[in-house]
Structures are given as structure tokens and as C-alpha cells.
Amino acid sequence: MYIGRFAPSPTGPLHFGSLIAAVGSYLEARVQQGQWLVRIEDLDPPREQTGAAALILNTLNAYGFEWDGEVLYQSKRYAFYEYFLDQLRSRDLIYPCTCSRKEILDSALVGIEGAVYPGTCRNGPSHPYRTHYAWRVRTTADATTFDDAIQGFQSQQLLREIGDFVLKRADGLYAYQLAVVADDADQQISHVVRGADLLTSTPRQIYLQQLLQLPTPNYAHLPVVINQRGEKLSKQALATPLNPANAVSDLWHALSFLGQQPPANLATTDLQTLWSWAHQHWQLDAVPKRKAIPLSTAA
Ligand SMILES: [Zn+2]
């Protein structure tokens, strides 16, 4: 049974970049006669915008997406994430880290996502009396590998390239990597189709799945949209919010960006006709095997 998902963070309205991930995950699930679930990743209240979750769901609806089951909100699942954290804690796979941000930066090595935590608290907290601390998971020098359905073979050595990463922050918030692994398992997600900006996160998620003895889904990472300066279109960069008045044209461009070559006359058709064409013609194999594509090339 194929179960896919789309998992936006409610940090702002959907934009063309998020539409790519929604279209790719949706059509692949439908073509495989699977389910498509929507999960709102509202783990980080300070970064969220009031009303964004409802706006995202309204926009998906207006663009003609039909999701299965109830929408899942990560903010309602803290007890569930703590349960997974407990399992790791009882096996000494995580440890409290009392280091300040500055202490970490001063001693950090450089990895693929910036500072690599140097392991200061691995054998005991550096500041035993600090009451605010994060929980980090012990990583190993073994390679974590997987075959991505679009981007091909991937390998990462977590200890050197990422370092012991945080599962629960000092401010008490659960980290994305833990929540996503817990929810993918709980929702029995079999296939993850998402943007290639998360490609380097995937080995961390697979590593956690292995520690927690959870199944690993199949992964396909779509190229992400970048602007003229090579930056990812993100809500923070104020990418233009999707406007349902342009739904057909936006979806046509998203299909085109994803290598599906929709006929030109469908750029001005109605939603139902365009979706019907997309359901009949979607091919994951046609998606460009690239991590990022500038918007000017796509639109
Ligand atoms: Zn530390």
C-alpha cells in the first residue's frame, strides 16, 4: 500500500516552491493508487504565522488537491515525540547538552550544514548545573546510505558531516528530525516525495529510524525552485503567495518545472481538465535529476 504525504510548515502562505512539492507528492501517490496525507509541521511557534495553517489548507483545496483522512498537527503530538525520546534515553543513545550556542560555534568543526557539534557533552554535561539543556543523539562514523528515486545513491557519514544532532531543544521544542520520523512511522508513510532541500536531512531520519527500529520509507527528492541569485524560494524570502485565481497557470508551470511537458493549450484550461491530464500523464521518471532549477528556466 502506497501512502504519501505533504508536510508544510505554517510559517506563511504557500508559494510556487511549496506547490512543486505538493504536486509531485500528490500525483505520485495518485498514480500509484495510494493515499496522500497532509501534515502541518507546526513545531516551532515563534516562527509560525497566525492563520497560516488554515490558509495553506484553503489554498490546497482551491488548487484542487484532495487529501485523505484528517490533517495531522505536530503541535498536538508532543507526548508522542517524548515517547520516542524516552526510548532513546533508556538506551543511552541520547545525552543532555548544556553548551551555549557560542561555546559550540567556538569549538565547532565545519560540516555540510555549517557547525558540527564537537561532542563536548558526550560523556557528561559541560555545565552540570545548567537547567536548560538540549538532547542530542549520538551519531557514528558509519555511512548512512539510501537510493533516492530521483537523485540516485546518497551516502553521508553523520559523525563527521553533521555531528550529534539535537532532538529536543533547550527551549523544550522538539526538533524536526525527531517529529518527522515519529510521524512518518505512525502514519505508515511508505513513500516520501519532497524537495531536495531536505536531501541532506534524510540520512539523519534514516539513522533515527534504524535506532528506533522503524521502517524506512522510499525517498524521492524533487528539484527545488531557486531565484536568480541561487537562493531557495522560501516564505522567509517573501516568495509570492499562491493566488487561487492563478491556479491553472501555476499548476501548469509546476508540471512543466517537474518535466511533465503539459500541452500549451492546457495553460488556460479549467482545473479539472488540467488535473485529469496530469493524472493520466504523470511520470516520476520525467522529473529532472537536479537538486535546484532557477525559476526563469521553469516559468
Ligand atoms: Zn554540549
Side-chain angles (χ1 to χ4, degrees):
M1 183 63 187
Y2 186 112
I3 305 180
R5 48 50 158 209
F6 175 59
S9 303
T11 49
L14 293 180
H15 52 79
F16 187 72
S18 19
L19 184 64
I20 297 297
V23 167
S25 60
Y26 183 63
L27 286 171
E28 184 59 14
R30 289 295 178 245
V31 164
Q32 302 292 339
Q33 275 146 28
Q35 294 180 38
W36 187 70
L37 311 182
V38 172
R39 179 200 301 158
I40 300 290
E41 300 202 325
D42 50 352
L43 275 177
D44 195 351
R47 287 185 54 230
E48 281 147 28
Q49 236 180 56
T50 311
L55 182 62
I56 286 171
L57 296 176
N58 285 339
T59 305
L60 287 174
N61 194 41
Y63 274 66
F65 292 92
E66 293 172 356
W67 57 88
D68 296 294
E70 299 251 313
V71 173
L72 189 117
Y73 292 83
Q74 290 191 321
S75 58
K76 297 184 178 147
R77 294 166 64 80
Y78 292 168
F80 180 63
Y81 306 142
E82 193 63 36
Y83 164 78
F84 280 90
L85 209 60
D86 275 341
Q87 288 189 25
L88 297 170
R89 195 183 287 120
S90 68
R91 293 160 58 205
D92 194 33
L93 293 167
I94 57 173
Y95 60 88
C97 168
T98 52
C99 301
S100 68
R101 188 169 304 215
K102 183 176 181 304
E103 285 167 336
I104 294 170
L105 288 177
D106 285 349
S107 55
L109 308 163
V110 178
I112 55 175
E113 285 185 11
V116 169
Y117 178 68
T120 321
C121 300
R122 269 193 156 211
N123 300 312
S126 54
H127 305 279
Y129 301 109
R130 274 191 191 158
T131 50
H132 287 74
Y133 47 85
W135 286 92
R136 290 182 183 273
V137 63
R138 298 181 196 279
T139 55
T140 68
D142 300 334
T144 301
T145 64
F146 68 104
D147 267 309
D148 189 87
I150 296 169
Q151 309 288 342
F153 179 77
Q154 308 291 319
S155 177
Q156 205 178 78
Q157 207 220 51
L158 285 173
L159 182 67
R160 178 171 49 86
E161 296 185 271
I162 297 290
D164 292 354
F165 53 98
V166 170
L167 298 188
K168 190 178 185 182
R169 293 169 16 183
D171 60 8
L173 294 177
Y174 292 91
Y176 162 74
Q177 310 292 356
L178 175 70
V180 82
V181 163
D183 287 334
D184 280 345
D186 189 47
Q187 296 188 287
Q188 296 179 279
I189 302 299
S190 66
H191 290 73
V192 174
V193 179
R194 61 184 177 190
D197 51 321
L198 289 164
L199 191 62
T200 56
S201 279
T202 307
R204 262 167 284 181
Q205 294 169 22
I206 293 174
Y207 179 69
L208 289 177
Q209 288 154 6
Q210 290 169 350
L211 292 183
L212 291 160
Q213 293 164 302
L214 301 170
T216 290
N218 292 287
Y219 288 96
H221 286 85
L222 306 165
V224 295
V225 185
I226 49 175
N227 65 19
Q228 314 301 340
R229 287 172 305 222
E231 301 157 338
K232 185 195 156 196
L233 280 197
S234 69
K235 294 157 193 164
Q236 291 74 24
L238 296 177
T240 320
L242 293 180
N243 175 357
N246 307 326
V248 170
S249 162
D250 288 344
L251 284 167
W252 189 93
H253 281 109
L255 289 164
S256 178
F257 180 89
L258 289 168
Q260 306 299 308
Q261 300 184 301
N265 65 313
L266 291 189
T268 53
T269 184
D270 58 281
L271 261 183
Q272 203 187 344
T273 307
L274 183 59
W275 274 124
S276 158
W277 181 90
H279 282 273
Q280 282 165 42
H281 293 86
W282 169 260
Q283 280 193 308
L284 194 67
D285 284 348
V287 174
K289 298 183 191 326
R290 294 167 61 185
K291 289 178 192 160
I293 301 176
L295 190 57
S296 58
T297 321

